[in-house]
Amino acid sequence: MAAVLVPALASVLAMAVAAPKPVDDADLRCVAAVAAMIGTLDENKADPEVVSGLTAIFMYYLGKVDARYPGLDYAAILTALLSAPGYDRQLPVDLRRCGGEAEERGAMLKDLGERMKSAVPLNPATRPG
């Protein structure tokens, strides 16, 4: 039994050591990038659709990160990431990458919604919205 358990435990420990730190996580960088974008908005003048879209993208990436790192101290890690030397040069790169993924997911969701409408026709009187 030990002959099986020791190699299995060693594999688990090796994966834990090789796991990326949250600050190196590409999705966390998207949380930071979208948070930075939201932070630049003037809440009195911002288009509600833009705010809604950015909030949805923020929540998408936050959910991905939270699934990998439950209980993460977001305030501390985002502050460190956003204030890291050179992050101002990384921000546009992250925004393009994250925006591209968000557009792909948005298109997928739109397609899914259309397919579901035709697959599961609802009585217009009972259809929400």
Side-chain angles (χ1 to χ4, degrees), residues 3-78:
V4 173
L5 207 55
V6 171
L9 184 57
S11 295
V12 169
L13 289 174
M15 287 189 315
V17 170
K21 297 175 190 163
V23 75
D24 297 328
D25 188 282
D27 291 329
L28 181 65
R29 296 184 78 80
C30 291
V31 171
V34 176
M37 285 294 297
I38 291 171
T40 66
L41 297 176
D42 180 339
E43 61 186 69
N44 295 320
K45 296 179 183 175
D47 180 342
E49 286 190 30
V50 170
V51 174
S52 179
L54 287 172
T55 301
I57 294 168
F58 179 83
M59 294 302 295
Y60 167 72
Y61 285 111
L62 189 71
K64 290 177 73 175
V65 172
D66 206 42
R68 281 193 296 276
Y69 307 105
L72 187 65
D73 183 349
Y74 285 102
I77 201 152
L78 290 175

Side-chain angles (χ1 to χ4, degrees), residues 36 49 56 77 100 111 116-117:
E49 286 190 30
I77 201 152
D111 180 58
M116 294 307 298
K117 277 187 207 175

